[in-house]
Amino acid sequence: MTHELIEISKKHLWLPFTQMKDYDEDPLIIESGDGIKVKDIHGKEYFDGFSSVWLNVHGHRKKELDNAIKNQLEKIAHSTLLGMTNVPATKLAEKLIELSPEKLTRVFYSDSGAEAMEIALKMAFQYWKNIGRPEKQKFISMKNGYHGDTVGAVSIGSIDLFNKVYGALMFESFNAPIPNVYRSELDDPAQCRDECLQTLEQLLVKSHEEIAALSIESMVQGAGGITVMPEGFLAGVRELCTKYDVLMIVDEVATGFGRTGKMFACDHEGVQPDLMAAGKGITGGYLPIAVTFTTEEIYEAFYDDYQTLKTFFHGHSYTGNQLGCAVAIENIRLFESEKITEQVAQKSEALHAILHELDTLPHVGDIRQLGFMCGIELVQSRETKKAYPSEKRVGYQVSLKMRELGMLTRPMGDVIVFMPPLVSTKEELEAMVAIMKEAINEVTCSEL
């Protein structure tokens, strides 16, 4: 049966972000999971070194989360949120607002992070129209940013590898620099930060009257290579958005729900966004729920008689799904009872020391970390920071070797991504980093 499943997958499936020729050469089908490990159809176990794409919190088959779904199934699986609400969606909204930055008071549900960002864009665009300033229609995106794969989200993204082919579909946006300290000619993180903020301010001085909003990932650019922003950059962006009357959309899809050692990464600098997208960890990695938070001021700009046509005409079939909201409520309860965010903050210090054992490897150029978001950049030369030729696919080769050694992750180019489930113990973190170290050493020290 295992061989048959593999053949079916090769014959009929088209996997996301996957060159299927690669998959056909190295197929993998997951059958089950337990704790921070998953098992394939051959019975081989792997550490879930990227939290099943950055979203698992408590590990797989967490009893309390399983039971939350089962209990909700005994009542109802789904009913619409169009013109009405349901019990779990209502209770979850209250919980979410308690956790979010103080300025945010409203929750709009969707199914994925990309949708949550798309909603934020549409809200920002219509907000200015609703208050009589329709000239503010454009957006600022950050270089090397990523917000998802729908057309709007792609339009404010800035990774050519993902976006270039869709150029004719995308709307134009302004592009502002993000401080990448490792790749900067400036050695001082503060200088690197200030130079980027100065460039952003120049853009705002010139064009703020036509700009609706700025979108930015919170503290860490994920798909752009786990680029951690220097201290004060996010707060500096907030100050400039306020100064020039531009809405700030913060993308917390990857960084939210404890991943960085705070409930939301913007909490590190006390940033209050105007709109904020979240997803992934919201259900502990169980079901597809995402949210767009916004302020009361923005909400009130849409609140009027129907005839004014200020309604936000947007929705999804499974918006506010009861099963997803029920498991999200239990996930938040577990965050509180098991002190998950506090644990991540504490274990991050130990993880920092464990990761820096990789410094001994000759082709590890940079190790970037905020909480349990980690990126290890591989280079041909540490001295010159010279990158490997892209056709060598060194990061991909390392990830295949890690799979062979019993751990799963997906690289971003030649940046090895390490985002373990938040409940991982120190011993488990050590075991996973040991696998990473062996794989990096074996691949980079061989003939490429």
Side-chain angles (χ1 to χ4, degrees):
M1 186 61 184
T2 56
H3 176 74
E4 183 181 346
L5 281 171
I6 289 172
E7 292 307 309
I8 291 171
S9 72
K10 290 181 178 182
K11 185 176 180 180
H12 295 299
L13 280 175
W14 193 344
L15 306 180
F17 274 95
T18 301
Q19 172 49 256
M20 292 304 292
K21 186 175 181 181
D22 288 341
Y23 175 80
D24 286 351
E25 293 174 1
D26 294 287
L28 177 64
I29 301 178
I30 299 301
E31 183 178 57
S32 62
D34 190 20
I36 71 163
K37 289 187 175 183
V38 295
K39 185 183 294 185
D40 68 18
I41 55 175
H42 302 289
K44 182 174 180 177
E45 283 192 328
Y46 308 86
F47 283 112
D48 192 351
F50 63 159
S51 296
S52 296
V53 190
W54 313 3
L55 49 78
N56 191 278
V57 172
H58 307 282
H60 302 277
R61 292 175 59 201
K62 179 72 171 177
K63 182 179 178 182
E64 292 88 341
L65 299 182
D66 293 352
N67 288 339
I69 295 172
K70 292 173 185 176
N71 292 338
Q72 181 58 43
L73 268 175
E74 294 179 356
K75 299 173 184 175
I76 188 172
H78 180 72
S79 65
T80 184
L81 236 62
L82 274 67
M84 63 189 73
T85 185
N86 64 60
V87 173
T90 304
K91 290 182 176 180
L92 176 60
E94 183 180 38
K95 291 281 186 184
L96 290 171
I97 293 304
E98 289 173 359
L99 297 174
S100 68
E102 183 180 1
K103 190 177 177 183
L104 303 175
T105 61
R106 296 283 172 169
V107 168
F108 194 101
Y109 288 110
S110 58
D111 308 337
S112 71
E115 291 168 355
M117 284 299 296
E118 196 93 9
I119 289 163
L121 296 177
K122 291 177 69 175
M123 283 180 173
F125 181 90
Q126 190 176 342
Y127 166 78
W128 293 111
K129 183 178 176 66
N130 283 4
I131 67 169
R133 298 184 65 184
E135 72 280 2
K136 290 175 77 69
Q137 297 185 2
K138 295 189 176 180
F139 294 87
I140 297 176
S141 59
M142 311 307 290
K143 289 182 180 177
N144 218 34
Y146 173 82
H147 299 288
D149 306 309
T150 54
V151 172
V154 167
S155 296
I156 57 164
S158 186
I159 301 178
D160 280 350
L161 177 65
F162 300 161
N163 301 350
K164 190 174 182 179
V165 68
Y166 307 111
L169 295 175
M170 296 157 58
F171 61 75
E172 290 186 7
S173 63
F174 294 103
N175 215 227
I178 198 91
N180 183 337
V181 176
Y182 180 65
R183 289 296 174 186
S184 173
E185 295 179 1
L186 301 169
D187 292 330
D188 182 11
Q191 280 186 294
C192 185
R193 174 199 66 206
D194 292 345
E195 183 178 73
C196 289
L197 289 174
Q198 288 166 11
T199 303
L200 173 60
E201 183 160 22
Q202 290 168 6
L203 169 59
L204 287 166
V205 167
K206 181 180 178 181
S207 303
H208 68 275
E209 291 183 357
E210 60 180 319
I211 295 171
L214 173 148
S215 63
I216 186 169
E217 291 162 90
S218 189
M219 295 301 292
V220 184
Q221 282 192 317
I226 316 299
T227 303
V228 180
M229 300 170 194
E231 183 179 349
F233 181 74
L234 192 70
V237 172
R238 172 68 273 183
E239 290 175 10
L240 290 175
C241 286
T242 301
K243 181 178 179 180
Y244 292 97
D245 203 16
V246 167
L247 298 177
M248 184 183 190
I249 302 171
V250 170
D251 184 344
E252 290 268 6
V253 174
T255 54
F257 293 94
R259 179 64 56 181
T260 68
K262 298 282 187 181
M263 182 54 72
F264 295 103
C266 60
D267 294 338
H268 285 281
E269 299 194 347
V271 167
Q272 296 278 338
D274 299 294
L275 299 115
M276 185 173 83
K280 289 192 183 293
I282 192 171
T283 65
Y286 265 57
L287 287 170
I289 292 285
V291 293
T292 305
F293 295 91
T294 190
T295 63
E296 201 68 14
E297 179 184 355
I298 291 174
Y299 172 80
E300 288 176 355
F302 292 77
Y303 192 89
D304 207 338
D305 294 330
Y306 182 83
Q307 291 81 354
T308 64
L309 296 181
K310 291 183 178 181
T311 301
F312 186 52
F313 292 108
H314 187 102
H316 301 276
S317 298
Y318 283 96
T319 294
N321 169 257
Q322 281 98 319
L323 295 176
C325 290
V327 75
I329 291 169
E330 181 60 20
N331 175 45
I332 291 172
R333 190 194 69 77
L334 287 172
F335 260 93
E336 295 168 349
S337 65
E338 298 185 4
K339 301 187 183 304
I340 298 297
T341 305
E342 295 86 344
Q343 281 194 45
V344 172
Q346 293 170 2
K347 287 186 287 189
S348 294
E349 297 180 13
L351 178 57
H352 178 82
I354 296 166
L355 280 171
H356 279 271
E357 295 175 10
L358 302 176
D359 274 333
T360 60
L361 300 179
H363 297 285
V364 169
D366 193 30
I367 300 171
R368 301 186 281 272
Q369 177 200 2
L370 185 62
F372 271 30
M373 293 187 76
C374 315
I376 297 88
E377 185 165 345
L378 307 179
V379 292
Q380 197 164 357
S381 167
R382 285 182 69 153
E383 289 71 28
T384 65
K385 303 182 183 179
K386 181 181 179 182
Y388 283 102
S390 59
E391 62 271 16
K392 295 288 188 181
R393 303 185 70 193
V394 175
Y396 178 67
Q397 298 303 323
V398 169
S399 71
L400 288 180
K401 176 55 67 173
M402 288 167 63
R403 184 204 294 189
E404 181 184 320
L405 295 171
M407 179 167 139
L408 300 180
T409 190
R410 280 181 63 87
M412 295 297 172
D414 287 340
V415 176
I416 304 302
V417 174
F418 183 50
M419 291 198 201
L422 302 190
V423 295
S424 302
T425 65
K426 181 182 177 182
E427 291 72 25
E428 289 168 334
L429 294 171
E430 288 173 339
M432 287 185 276
V433 173
I435 288 174
M436 197 172 356
K437 184 176 183 179
E438 182 177 349
I440 292 170
N441 188 55
E442 186 167 336
V443 171
T444 60
C445 291
S446 65
E447 288 294 326
L448 290 170

